[in-house]
Amino acid sequence: MSDQAQDRHKARQQKVKENVDARIAAAQKEQGIFLVITGNGKGKSTSGFGTITRAVGHGQRCAVAQFIKGTWENGERNVLEKLGVEFHVMATGFTWETQNKTTDTAAAQLVWQECVTMLSDPSLNVVLLDELTYMTNFGYIDLDEVISAIQHRPPMQSVIITGRAAHRRLIEMADTVSDIKNTKHAFDSGIKALQGVDW
């Protein structure tokens, strides 16, 4: 690299550094973060569990509620329960398989009551509400109750909600929103879901 090219690169990087430093200096508020991970792509729950794993790695207390899934072995649960992460699982499987709104609603409500307790526990640093979006969209759990519980949680508690089609009110109140896009998926090519990668 020529001296001129090196100087141009250094000048560009210095501007980037100044911009990043200014943003870091401006972000001084300390509070728990509300994250929504939504969209049609693969990786929403994986991202949520990755955040839980990161928090546990920093010695933080975490808890997980799983809606929709839960009738088969779960790799993340196998690891995280051994590390002290509390799990509450709906354990009815996919709602399109059960096809019974009454029993699904009852199962969702049982887990939701555990969520209410978690969302009022200041000793929990991070709470993951995995696939909760389906529960509010199907009317199994009242959206206003969810919003109220999140708004009134302990100030330093972070909450992650995952699932497709997150309600606009959740998106509007969230601090961070990730919309996972589906560019390509092995399942669409007839490839069976793979243990350790897909579940």
Side-chain angles (χ1 to χ4, degrees), residues 29-151:
K29 189 190 303 184
E30 287 193 45
Q31 65 179 53
I33 299 170
F34 174 35
L35 304 91
V36 172
I37 307 168
T38 191
N40 293 329
K42 171 181 165 42
K44 296 178 291 295
S45 295
T46 304
S47 179
F49 278 114
T51 304
I52 293 292
T53 305
R54 173 184 290 156
V56 170
H58 285 293
Q60 298 182 2
R61 283 197 67 231
C62 301
V64 175
Q66 281 189 287
F67 298 93
I68 299 289
K69 302 169 185 172
T71 57
W72 60 86
E73 188 179 16
N74 178 285
E76 295 95 339
R77 184 177 178 188
N78 290 347
V79 171
L80 292 170
E81 274 190 328
K82 292 174 186 172
L83 298 174
V85 176
E86 171 186 345
F87 272 75
H88 299 281
V89 182
M90 189 167 152
T92 55
F94 294 113
T95 54
W96 57 85
E97 290 177 349
T98 58
Q99 300 179 12
N100 188 321
K101 187 167 185 178
T102 301
T103 57
D104 285 344
T105 300
Q109 283 295 322
L110 283 174
V111 176
W112 173 243
Q113 292 315 306
E114 297 293 344
C115 295
V116 170
T117 300
M118 294 188 302
L119 293 169
S120 62
D121 184 350
S123 74
L124 286 173
N125 301 103
V126 187
V127 175
L128 170 60
L129 308 176
D130 187 39
E131 310 284 12
L132 179 71
T133 61
Y134 294 97
M135 302 299 98
T136 56
N137 291 344
F138 296 162
Y140 298 171
I141 298 172
D142 183 71
L143 178 63
D144 287 333
E145 283 186 35
V146 172
I147 289 172
S148 178
I150 292 169
Q151 287 175 331

Side-chain angles (χ1 to χ4, degrees), residues 8-26:
R8 285 194 302 270
H9 174 76
K10 185 175 180 180
R12 280 195 305 270
Q13 293 306 103
Q14 180 60 33
K15 286 182 181 177
V16 170
K17 180 183 180 339
E18 289 170 2
N19 183 45
V20 171
D21 288 347
R23 293 180 68 195
I24 291 171

Side-chain angles (χ1 to χ4, degrees), residues 163-196:
R164 294 182 181 210
H167 195 280
R168 62 175 173 74
R169 290 174 63 197
L170 293 173
I171 289 172
E172 286 167 3
M173 73 180 279
D175 300 298
T176 299
V177 178
S178 294
D179 188 1
I180 309 297
K181 304 289 186 191
N182 197 29
T183 303
K184 193 175 185 180
H185 199 298
F187 183 71
D188 296 330
S189 300
I191 300 173
K192 189 174 180 178
L194 184 65
Q195 184 178 19

